[in-house]
Amino acid sequence: MESITIAFIFEVWEGTYPLNASLEITDSNVFAIAGGQVQIQPAFPVAGATTPPLSFLNVGAGGLNLLAGPNPSSAAQGIEVVVPVLTSGNTLSLKFDYAQGEVNGFYQFAGSSRAALQIGSNVIAFPVLA
């Protein structure tokens, strides 16, 4: 198994619902979370956006879920979660979902542009490593 790092970006562009999201890996890849390798970073989709305080972030080998604190201002909010993946093939299959509001999900490998996650099933091709 090879390890590759991927960033997942979650954004809420308007509304008062708190930022929330879940990812479930649906193949044999796993998030490599040993040793505190998970990073949480701000993601600012538009001017004036904020990084919300987290109520919780759960990351396990089979996926992640998060919930931010309340968003009383309706301002855009965004957060980025960076995790290493132990690969077992050329793609990562996962399910993206959220509970309330409209959450926009993206993924990004180092040195590449971000790409959108669709609600439901997604298949992400790993970049070719030199």
Side-chain angles (χ1 to χ4, degrees):
M1 290 186 137
E2 191 170 340
S3 179
I4 189 163
T5 301
I6 185 170
F8 293 101
I9 302 104
F10 305 103
E11 301 170 351
V12 173
W13 295 336
E14 62 185 10
T16 58
Y17 289 111
L19 177 60
N20 65 93
S22 68
L23 293 176
E24 176 188 354
I25 295 175
T26 58
D27 60 15
S28 57
N29 294 291
V30 294
F31 289 150
I33 59 171
Q37 299 177 40
V38 176
Q39 299 175 27
I40 305 165
Q41 304 173 163
F44 296 104
V46 294
T50 62
T51 301
L54 285 177
S55 294
F56 65 80
L57 169 66
N58 296 319
V59 182
L64 67 85
N65 59 61
L66 63 88
L67 176 65
N71 184 12
S73 71
S74 297
Q77 294 186 330
I79 195 158
E80 181 174 321
V81 181
V82 181
V83 293
V85 176
L86 289 178
T87 65
S88 66
N90 297 324
T91 61
L92 170 65
S93 296
L94 52 80
K95 180 182 174 190
F96 168 54
D97 202 3
Y98 56 84
Q100 293 180 311
E102 183 174 333
V103 178
N104 299 285
F106 303 90
Y107 68 91
Q108 183 174 16
F109 296 102
S112 67
S113 298
R114 70 185 196 171
L117 291 169
Q118 304 303 315
I119 297 302
S121 297
N122 293 265
V123 177
I124 300 169
F126 292 124
V128 177
L129 301 175

